[in-house]
Amino acid sequence: MSSDKPRILSGMRATNPRGLHLGNYEGALRNWVHLQDDFKVYCMVADYHALTTMGDLPPNLGFITREVAKDYVSAGLDPQRTSIFVQSRVPEHAELHLVLSMVTGLGKLERVPTYKEKKDELSSGHPVSYGLLGYPVLQAADILLYKPYGVPVGKDQAPHLELSREIGRSFNAAFDCQVFPEFKDIIDGDELRSKVPGLDVDDQGQLRKMSKSYDNCIYLSDTADQVAAKIQSAFTTPTKIKKTDPGIPEGCAVCQYLKLYSPDWKTQWSEDQQGLRGCVQNKRELTECLNEFLGPFREKRAQLDDASIEEILKRGTEEAREFASQTMREVRKAIKID
Ligand code: TRP
């Protein structure tokens, strides 16, 4: 499927057997779905990247990969237009990663914020792997193989993109070529979408990001009943005991979700602030809106069994390889090993 449209490349790591949550959707996937109209989108499940933080117990990566791919399609990525593929099934990613590692300075990798965080999170006695340090080099390979116009990602990925650009420039300079053109960051600046709160709060009573590690997520694949139960127990203004107590929507998870999913959120917020409505009503209305929003996702997901998602991934992987192998030919030529 060749296309004259400019290319876009992006992906998410396959780290959670539950698949993707609302934070993943709002922060990135939502944007990819819209970009399909104007771009040829290459959308990857980054399974190798998942190995960098999984520790000693290898999860069923194949299973997680299929769950993430099912979420991509149920959320609106269209396999007819978009190449949905698996990183490890396009060996050019691993190959280019190796080549790029030769032009990437250690200091640059050690200064990457996510590396520093992950390194500190690892329990003592757990050695920092070569792969974790090289995470951004693999990401640079993911991107540069497709010579994209731009890379749509969540805000937290900006340092990785900057480093990927630098690695592309270093390669061009080192081998006196122009194999890798510059690409743009495509980052949705919306504050709430880039940091969707989870259902709970931290030790200080503040909302915190929706994240698998906090177990505070609403998943795209949750059933209507699961969503209802989660919203039922979601955090609301702690000083709003009775309906007539004033609410503080900025610090209330339910009100934040209303802002994202309810067309009437302005009225709902103002009534909440004035003590004209209670949390029970907010939760009831949110459950309705969110389940309506997720309804089409669920319908699509119900059509996707393992065989049909494998079929989609097979085709997407072939399309991705077609482009990636051409770039690798240019790379080999530039380094004179063709
Ligand atoms: N690092 C990205 C994340 O954690 C995932 C990713 C891997 C990616 N390779 C990529 C994103 C290439 C964009 C382009 O979300």
Side-chain angles (χ1 to χ4, degrees):
M1 195 183 4
S2 68
S3 162
D4 296 334
K5 287 184 184 167
R7 284 169 308 282
I8 290 286
L9 174 286
S10 202
M12 281 191 223
R13 295 197 301 152
T15 50
N16 190 348
R18 292 297 326 274
L20 304 178
H21 53 65
L22 284 180
N24 300 133
Y25 175 78
E26 295 296 340
L29 180 50
R30 186 178 161 279
N31 213 356
W32 306 348
V33 173
H34 294 303
L35 288 163
Q36 291 179 115
D37 295 333
D38 299 312
F39 296 93
K40 165 67 196 167
V41 178
Y42 288 89
C43 187
M44 175 184 70
V45 182
D47 54 349
Y48 276 149
H49 268 122
L51 289 174
T52 55
T53 50
M54 286 262 167
D56 307 323
L57 232 193
N60 188 339
L61 257 187
F63 172 81
I64 302 178
T65 295
R66 280 187 291 276
E67 290 306 299
V68 172
K70 286 178 192 171
D71 285 330
Y72 283 174
V73 176
S74 14
L77 286 186
D78 172 9
Q80 299 300 329
R81 295 185 284 165
T82 289
S83 301
I84 303 170
F85 69 99
V86 184
Q87 183 185 37
S88 69
R89 299 186 197 177
V90 180
E92 285 79 5
H93 288 246
E95 206 179 343
L96 184 57
H97 167 249
L98 179 99
V99 172
L100 296 181
S101 74
M102 309 298 173
V103 297
T104 308
L106 269 185
K108 277 192 179 155
L109 292 172
E110 283 162 347
R111 283 192 295 275
V112 171
T114 38
Y115 170 70
K116 289 197 243 166
E117 281 163 29
K118 286 276 162 8
K119 196 176 113 195
D120 295 340
E121 272 170 31
L122 285 174
S123 46
S124 54
H126 200 112
V128 174
S129 73
Y130 177 50
L132 181 64
L133 182 67
Y135 185 114
V137 187
L138 181 55
Q139 185 159 348
D142 297 339
I143 295 170
L144 295 171
L145 271 177
Y146 299 90
K147 304 185 181 183
Y149 161 82
V151 180
V153 283
K155 232 183 195 166
D156 61 318
Q157 291 296 307
H160 284 156
L161 297 196
E162 187 50 40
L163 186 49
S164 296
R165 257 190 303 272
E166 287 175 21
I167 293 174
R169 282 182 212 131
S170 301
F171 179 91
N172 289 348
F175 298 103
D176 191 23
C177 65
Q178 289 299 325
V179 173
F180 299 121
E182 296 276 319
F183 63 87
K184 294 189 186 335
D185 297 7
I186 304 178
I187 294 175
D188 183 346
D190 187 281
E191 203 62 37
L192 178 54
R193 291 210 148 93
S194 63
K195 205 179 169 188
V196 176
L199 296 153
D200 65 350
V201 284
D202 63 16
D203 303 341
Q204 268 83 52
Q206 301 295 314
L207 295 178
R208 57 181 173 179
K209 208 171 164 169
M210 188 175 281
S211 161
K212 171 184 81 148
S213 39
Y214 301 142
D215 193 18
N216 63 1
C217 305
I218 296 176
Y219 290 100
L220 301 186
S221 57
D222 278 345
T223 63
D225 287 345
Q226 283 171 321
V227 167
K230 284 180 179 180
I231 291 175
Q232 194 55 44
S233 63
F235 184 82
T236 53
T237 309
T239 49
K240 188 170 168 65
I241 317 280
K242 301 187 297 307
K243 173 178 155 180
T244 47
D245 295 330
I248 308 166
E250 290 77 12
C252 159
V254 171
C255 289
Q256 293 296 310
Y257 300 144
L258 280 172
K259 187 171 179 188
L260 286 171
Y261 302 107
S262 167
D264 306 323
W265 70 273
K266 284 191 175 150
T267 317
Q268 288 157 329
W269 273 39
S270 125
E271 288 176 6
D272 181 83
Q273 284 162 322
Q274 296 173 64
L276 297 173
R277 63 158 57 218
C279 301
V280 176
Q281 189 183 352
N282 280 343
K283 287 179 170 179
R284 187 172 7 95
E285 291 174 5
L286 171 65
T287 302
E288 216 167 276
C289 293
L290 190 50
N291 275 330
E292 195 180 310
F293 175 77
L294 290 173
F297 291 33
R298 293 187 187 119
E299 274 165 37
K300 281 202 198 126
R301 203 170 220 279
Q303 315 285 319
L304 289 167
D305 56 12
D306 282 356
S308 51
I309 201 70
E310 277 298 342
E311 198 49 49
I312 289 170
L313 290 172
K314 186 163 168 272
R315 189 148 43 93
T317 300
E318 278 163 14
E319 290 158 0
R321 270 205 95 173
E322 201 180 307
F323 199 95
S325 58
Q326 174 55 35
T327 306
M328 265 322 287
R329 272 195 287 278
E330 294 169 30
V331 167
R332 278 191 220 101
K333 194 160 178 229
I335 58 184
K336 303 194 168 56
I337 53 173
D338 58 329

